[in-house]
């Protein structure tokens, strides 16, 4: 769509910024929402979409994904991952630094931005990875959504697992710090205790609730000491949720994945190593406490931690199997299905997956449907149920831990910057997203 083209969406059930719904029309001029009203009279329209029976939501912003490019393209690449995003209603993503080479320098960041500009169907931003030695790079890198610190579950340079290495990163600069909070020393000790065990369910015992809590306590303490903006990635335990309920400064945010809300340790018996991720799946009690923390605002938003591996890699047998699972295609229908079942509301889902993310990362003009905001939109069908089918997945890894789940809220049309990128099963692969900016 050229700058002056007009798109008109008619008869949609539109989620307004105040959480109410309006049945009406949305006019998009170029990349921007121009008007929202019960009935619009527009003289010249380049494209009109009849959205009768569909619900119009802001496009999802997924704030934690691993898209594997460069260096690990056999698992996923920026093109295939962004196709999966488009099918899942994800119009923007924030990607993590554990690629090859690692995203720890401005040159590596620039390389990713150039790759994304040529390949990505949706909007993109990238984290800088912290190492014990690259503080100067972290202070000047631009544009980036934040600094990613692996306090555990990492190898080599990206592992920053002791207070003496963490403290200088928290002490200098004002950029958001996002932490993978697991205590590596405890994980190492537990690995020795469970050595020789090949049941993947032991993964949740090795990287146990205590390992997560110890690291979150350390990160929270450093954040409070330096009044440093902290985001806790993929919160997974009841203990961490209760810690934040009691002690969460205004500059701290946290997220949870659909996996940690909807799957638990019972999944190992059903899908084996496909259930293996970091931090691991927890107990049904953890599910319940995390849900309540999300509903109460203790947890701020949702991310997928989309981390694909091939089925061949997942078949190697524990503990030789990699941790991680795909998620961008299923996250929105998973959460909207929960809303339709009464667990939460559709406006809450949209807040957790769009507007709250835009606010936390200071991404301008994203996350709500209002004039002047970017036309990143998704039309979903809340009436029809359809199962997660392996053959329909766009992710290169070709599987989902939610295979067979019958879900509603599947995207029918996904719009990025005013351009239709996905429509009733068809991808428009010529569309390109843009680099996100951060306040």
């Amino acid at each position: 769509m050229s700058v002056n083209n007009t798109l008109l969406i008619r008869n949609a059930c539109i989620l307004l910024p105040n959480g109410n719904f309006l049945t009406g029309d949305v006019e998009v001029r170029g990349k921007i929402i121009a008007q929202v009203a019960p009935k619009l009279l527009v003289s010249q329209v380049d494209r009109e979409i009849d959205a009768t029976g569909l619900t119009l939501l802001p496009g999802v912003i997924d704030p934690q994904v691993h898209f594997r490019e460069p260096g690990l393209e056999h698992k996923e690449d920026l093109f295939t991952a962004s196709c999966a995003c488009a099918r899942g209603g994800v119009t923007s993503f924030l990607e993590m630094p554990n690629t090859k080479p690692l995203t720890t320098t401005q040159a590596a960041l620039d390389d990713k931005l150039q790759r994304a500009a040529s390949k990505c169907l949706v909007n993109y931003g990238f984290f800088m990875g912290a190492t014990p030695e690259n503080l100067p790079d972290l202070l000047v890198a631009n544009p980036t959504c934040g600094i990613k610190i692996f306090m555990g579950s990492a190898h080599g340079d990206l592992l920053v697992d002791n207070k003496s290495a963490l403290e200088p990163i928290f002490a200098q600069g004002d950029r958001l710090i996002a932490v993978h909070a697991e205590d590596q020393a405890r994980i190492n000790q537990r690995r020795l205790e469970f050595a020789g065990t090949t049941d993947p369910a032991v993964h949740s015992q090795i990287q146990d609730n205590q390992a997560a809590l110890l690291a979150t306590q350390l990160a929270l303490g450093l954040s409070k000491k330096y009044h440093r903006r902290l985001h806790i990635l993929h919160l997974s335990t009841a203990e961490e949720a209760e810690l934040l309920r009691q002690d969460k400064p205004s500059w701290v945010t946290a997220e949870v994945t659909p996996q940690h809300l909807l799957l638990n340790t019972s999944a190992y018996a059903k899908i084996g190593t496909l259930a293996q991720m970091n931090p691991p799946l927890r107990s049904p009690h953890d599910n319940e406490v995390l849900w309540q923390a999300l509903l109460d605002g203790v947890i701020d938003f949702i991310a997928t931690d989309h981390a694909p591996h091939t089925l061949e890699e997942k078949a190697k047998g524990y503990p030789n199997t990699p941790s991680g699972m795909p998620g961008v295609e299923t996250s929105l229908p998973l959460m909207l299905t929960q809303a339709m079942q009464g667990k939460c509301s559709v406006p809450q889902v949209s807040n957790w997956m769009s507007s709250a993310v835009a606010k936390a990362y200071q991404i301008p003009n994203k996350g709500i449907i209002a004039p002047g905001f970017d036309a990143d939109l998704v039309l979903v069908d809340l009436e029809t149920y359809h199962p997660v089918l392996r053959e329909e997945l766009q992710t290169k890894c070709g599987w989902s831990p939610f295979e067979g789940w019958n879900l509603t809220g599947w995207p029918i049309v996904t719009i990025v910057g005013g351009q239709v990128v996905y429509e009733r099963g068809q991808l428009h692969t010529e569309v390109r997203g843009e680099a996100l900016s951060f306040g």
Side-chain angles (χ1 to χ4, degrees), residues 245-285:
R245 189 179 289 278
Q246 302 302 322
D247 183 14
K248 188 187 176 205
S250 60
W251 60 87
V252 173
T253 52
E255 71 186 29
V256 66
T257 70
Q259 302 92 288
H260 288 115
L261 293 172
L262 302 174
L263 298 175
N264 52 57
T265 49
S266 67
Y268 291 114
K270 298 170 187 168
I271 59 173
T273 56
L274 299 186
Q276 180 187 334
M277 66 174 295
N278 296 331
L281 300 179
R282 308 295 186 187
S283 72
H285 171 68

Side-chain angles (χ1 to χ4, degrees), residues 185-195 205-206 208:
R186 181 170 178 84
I187 292 171
N188 292 343
Q189 170 203 330
R190 302 276 290 175
R191 277 189 185 143
L192 292 174
E193 293 174 25
F194 290 93
Q205 295 174 261
I206 293 171
D208 65 355

Side-chain angles (χ1 to χ4, degrees), residues 85-147:
C85 284
R87 180 174 179 253
V90 176
T91 54
S92 301
F93 66 79
L94 305 180
E95 205 262 352
M96 289 298 171
N98 52 333
T99 44
K100 292 183 178 180
L102 304 173
T103 319
T104 54
T105 65
Q106 183 69 49
L109 177 61
D110 289 342
D111 176 64
K112 272 192 176 177
L113 287 162
Q114 289 166 8
R115 289 167 181 267
S118 68
K119 292 186 174 189
C120 279
L121 281 63
V122 302
N123 305 313
Y124 46 88
F126 298 99
F127 278 90
M128 281 286 287
T131 76
E133 284 82 41
N134 76 331
L135 183 56
D137 300 273
L138 299 180
L139 293 172
V140 300
N142 189 59
T144 183
C145 48
I147 297 165

